[in-house]
Amino acid sequence: MDYLRKVQLESKGSKDFVWNLPGEFRFINVQDSAVLQPITPGLWFNAQMISFPDLAATHQAWKRDFKKVEDFWVKELKAQPHMGKLFGFETSPEGLTEPFADSYSCTIYGDDQKASFEAYRHQQDPEGLFATGLGMKFLSPCAN
């Protein structure tokens, strides 16, 4: 949370993007109850960065700041992203920053989890009717 606050304060006076909401956090108790469970069971600290993007000069301005915080949390603190929020920010060679990068989404689950869920999914959805969108990125192998 200290790093988020640092980035928020650094944005004061920016003409591109000023953080306009505080971070939020809670403690959550994760149970071992799903095949596709992204984190191990136990007590976890959940932190969220939130802000109204409408106040940014461009969509890229707020995405760059969100990426900055996410990179620190994931790389320095070994955090796991909240999969129900924006995550996996990546900057393209053209300089555009976007969430849900394939290169990150494919790392959420291990190969054993992916295989186990794929077997179940094929049994329940043999025609692949529900095999679309971001969910399939989670199940995809990572390109090397």
Side-chain angles (χ1 to χ4, degrees):
M1 295 304 285
D2 288 343
Y3 187 77
L4 173 59
R5 185 69 178 143
K6 175 183 176 291
V7 172
Q8 288 172 327
L9 291 173
E10 287 172 352
S11 79
K12 289 175 86 172
S14 171
K15 298 204 183 311
D16 291 328
F17 175 65
V18 177
W19 289 82
N20 47 62
L21 292 171
E24 71 175 31
F25 70 91
R26 67 184 71 82
F27 290 93
I28 56 172
N29 189 11
V30 175
Q31 305 297 311
D32 188 9
S33 58
V35 173
L36 287 181
Q37 187 158 313
I39 56 176
T40 57
L43 186 63
W44 286 80
F45 178 79
N46 175 270
Q48 293 300 315
M49 51 189 166
I50 54 177
S51 194
F52 291 116
D54 295 348
L55 301 176
T58 68
H59 287 291
Q60 287 299 301
W62 69 264
K63 289 174 185 176
R64 282 191 301 268
D65 263 22
F66 271 52
K67 181 183 184 323
K68 184 187 305 183
V69 174
E70 181 188 69
D71 283 352
F72 180 82
W73 284 357
V74 170
K75 293 174 183 172
E76 300 298 321
L77 303 178
K78 307 298 183 228
Q80 299 289 329
H82 187 310
M83 293 169 49
K85 309 275 184 176
L86 296 172
F87 71 89
F89 286 91
E90 184 174 86
T91 303
S92 72
E94 297 79 31
L96 298 176
T97 301
E98 297 296 338
F100 310 121
D102 292 345
S103 64
Y104 188 82
S105 296
C106 70
T107 68
I108 301 292
Y109 299 113
D111 292 338
D112 291 344
Q113 285 176 296
K114 291 177 185 182
S116 177
F117 185 78
E118 276 293 307
Y120 174 77
R121 187 184 67 74
H122 282 292
Q123 180 184 30
Q124 299 299 316
D125 183 24
E127 295 181 24
L129 180 63
F130 298 100
T132 65
L134 182 58
M136 297 314 293
K137 287 184 176 187
F138 292 138
L139 299 173
S140 296
C142 293
N144 291 334

